Amino acid sequence: MTATDTLHRPLHDLRISVTDRCNFRCRYCMPAEDFGPGHNFLPRSEILSFEEIVRVARVATGVGVRKLRLTGGEPLLRRGIEDLVAMLSTLDGIEEIALTTNGTLLAHHAEALALAGLARVTVSLDALDPLVFGHMNGVGARVERVLAGIEAARTFGLGVKVNSVIQRGVNESEILPLARWAREQQLTLRFIEFMDVGETNHWNSAQVIDAQEILSIIGREFPLDPLPPTHAGETARRWGFADRRGEIGIIASVSQPFCRGCTRLRLSADGQLFTCLFASHGHDLRPQLRGRADDSVLHSALLGLWQSRDDRYSEQRGQVHAPKAEMSYLGG
C-alpha cells in the first residue's frame, strides 16, 4: 500500500542519515563556531546499526517507499557504508538507492559503492573558484578533490547530479562558471536557494538569490527552455540549454515552495523520523527497534505518522516560529 497524508501526498522517498558528523563546516549547514572541536556529536551507542536501518527501510516499503537516499552529515564518513548499500539493495520494492556527499572521499569509495548497488550520487559543489570554495566549506578543502570524486563516480557508472547552494554576498559570482562547467561536462546541475534550515546558519532573506534572478544571470549567456517534470514530487524546476547540451534546475524552497508535492520522510542517524526538513522534533523509533516490537508495530508507527502529516513549512514561512532541527542532523 502507499500511505497518503492529510494533504493527500503519497509517501515515496526515505532519506536516511547515517551520521551527524561531517568533514566540512559549511556556514549554511554546520558553521564552525557552533560545531567546533568541543561539539558533542551523537555517541556511537545512539546511532542506528546497519541492521536497524535496513529494518526501517524494509518496513517503509510496505507503506509506499520506493527510493532511498543516504545522507549525513557526510555519509562517506560512516565506516562500511558500502556494506549498508549492499544490504539495502536486496530489499524488494526499492527502485533506487542514491547518496548525497560533499565529494571529498568519493574517489576512494566510488567503485565499491557502484558494485554494492548504488545508482547515483548527488555531489555538493558550491563554487569552482578555489578561494570561494575553501571559504564556503569552512575547512579549506580543495575543490580538486571534489572534481576527482565526480570523475570517479562517472567512471564507475554512477549517475551524478551536482547541487550548489547560492548565497548573496558569498558565491553568486559562481553561478555562471558553474553553469558553464556543468554544460561542458554534460552534468545535471541544481542551484538551491539559501534556506532557513536549523537555527545556526543565521539565515537572512536578504541573502537569498531567488530562482528568477538565477535564471536571469544564466540567461545572459545561455538561452534556456523550460522542461517538464520527470516525475511527481520533483523538487527542482528544470530548464534545458537551448542547444540541448544539458540542463540546469533550481530548488526554490523559499520563493516557489513545493510543499504540496513533497513525498519525503527522513530518518536521523539516531532513529528519529521527521516528516519535514523544517520540523522541530521527530518520532523516536529506537524503543521499537531495540525492544521486542515486531515489524507490524513499526509498520503501524510509520503509517500513522505519515497519515497524520500536515507539514507545509515553506508555504507558511514567517508564520511558524518553533525551533528547527539542524540540517546536519536531519540529512538535508
Side-chain angles (χ1 to χ4, degrees), residues 212-248:
Q212 288 305 314
E213 187 172 351
I214 292 171
L215 284 174
S216 176
I217 291 170
I218 298 172
R220 295 170 193 165
E221 185 167 330
F222 301 110
L224 297 170
D225 298 321
L227 298 173
T230 57
H231 59 269
E234 186 171 35
T235 58
R237 299 189 181 191
R238 303 163 55 236
W239 288 264
F241 293 106
D243 61 4
R244 302 186 185 280
R245 292 190 59 188
E247 69 173 63
I248 61 102

Side-chain angles (χ1 to χ4, degrees), residues 191-262:
F191 292 105
I192 302 176
E193 292 179 348
F194 177 39
M195 293 184 291
D196 51 335
V197 182
E199 300 296 319
T200 63
N201 71 2
H202 306 293
W203 184 82
N204 186 324
S205 61
Q207 285 191 296
V208 177
I209 297 185
D210 67 23
Q212 288 305 314
E213 187 172 351
I214 292 171
L215 284 174
S216 176
I217 291 170
I218 298 172
R220 295 170 193 165
E221 185 167 330
F222 301 110
L224 297 170
D225 298 321
L227 298 173
T230 57
H231 59 269
E234 186 171 35
T235 58
R237 299 189 181 191
R238 303 163 55 236
W239 288 264
F241 293 106
D243 61 4
R244 302 186 185 280
R245 292 190 59 188
E247 69 173 63
I248 61 102
I250 302 178
I251 299 174
S253 173
V254 178
S255 67
Q256 300 168 14
F258 42 82
C259 299
R260 297 304 175 103
C262 180

Side-chain angles (χ1 to χ4, degrees), residues 22-282:
C22 187
N23 52 349
F24 277 15
R25 290 296 180 268
C26 303
R27 295 197 59 80
Y28 59 78
C29 176
M30 207 173 185
E33 58 264 33
D34 293 286
F35 295 88
H39 181 74
N40 292 320
F41 289 100
L42 292 170
R44 185 182 299 271
S45 61
E46 292 186 16
I47 293 177
L48 296 187
S49 68
F50 288 172
E51 290 76 14
E52 289 169 333
I53 291 172
V54 172
R55 187 181 177 200
V56 175
R58 184 180 68 247
V59 172
T61 64
V63 288
V65 167
R66 293 294 175 264
K67 292 187 178 182
L68 304 175
R69 176 172 292 276
L70 303 180
T71 67
E74 170 49 51
L76 297 185
L77 290 177
R78 180 77 185 258
R79 185 175 300 176
I81 188 69
E82 298 89 352
D83 296 330
L84 175 59
V85 172
M87 294 165 71
L88 292 169
S89 69
T90 67
L91 296 179
D92 291 335
I94 296 300
E95 299 169 357
E96 181 182 81
I97 304 172
L99 179 144
T100 297
T101 174
N102 63 35
T104 55
L105 303 174
L106 186 54
H108 176 73
H109 289 275
E111 182 177 15
L113 288 168
L115 290 172
L118 193 73
R120 59 187 176 92
V121 293
T122 297
V123 180
S124 298
L125 179 61
D126 300 323
L128 292 170
D129 180 275
L131 292 178
V132 178
F133 183 74
H135 170 70
M136 289 196 72
N137 65 56
V139 294
R142 297 176 59 193
V143 70
E144 290 82 4
R145 290 187 64 186
V146 181
L147 298 178
I150 290 171
E151 185 60 32
R154 301 177 82 180
T155 296
F156 293 110
L158 293 171
V160 178
K161 287 184 179 180
V162 176
N163 279 354
S164 301
V165 175
I166 304 299
Q167 286 181 260
R168 191 181 305 280
V170 180
N171 67 330
E172 68 264 44
S173 63
E174 291 295 293
I175 293 173
L176 261 176
L178 283 163
R180 292 187 195 111
W181 169 79
R183 182 173 174 272
E184 291 166 0
Q185 296 293 319
Q186 293 291 284
L187 282 168
T188 299
L189 173 64
R190 299 286 187 254
F191 292 105
I192 302 176
E193 292 179 348
F194 177 39
M195 293 184 291
D196 51 335
V197 182
E199 300 296 319
T200 63
N201 71 2
H202 306 293
W203 184 82
N204 186 324
S205 61
Q207 285 191 296
V208 177
I209 297 185
D210 67 23
Q212 288 305 314
E213 187 172 351
I214 292 171
L215 284 174
S216 176
I217 291 170
I218 298 172
R220 295 170 193 165
E221 185 167 330
F222 301 110
L224 297 170
D225 298 321
L227 298 173
T230 57
H231 59 269
E234 186 171 35
T235 58
R237 299 189 181 191
R238 303 163 55 236
W239 288 264
F241 293 106
D243 61 4
R244 302 186 185 280
R245 292 190 59 188
E247 69 173 63
I248 61 102
I250 302 178
I251 299 174
S253 173
V254 178
S255 67
Q256 300 168 14
F258 42 82
C259 299
R260 297 304 175 103
C262 180
T263 61
R264 292 159 196 82
L265 185 63
R266 291 170 169 84
L267 179 68
S268 71
D270 61 346
Q272 303 286 327
L273 276 175
F274 287 81
T275 56
C276 179
L277 178 60
F278 302 95
S280 59
H281 62 276

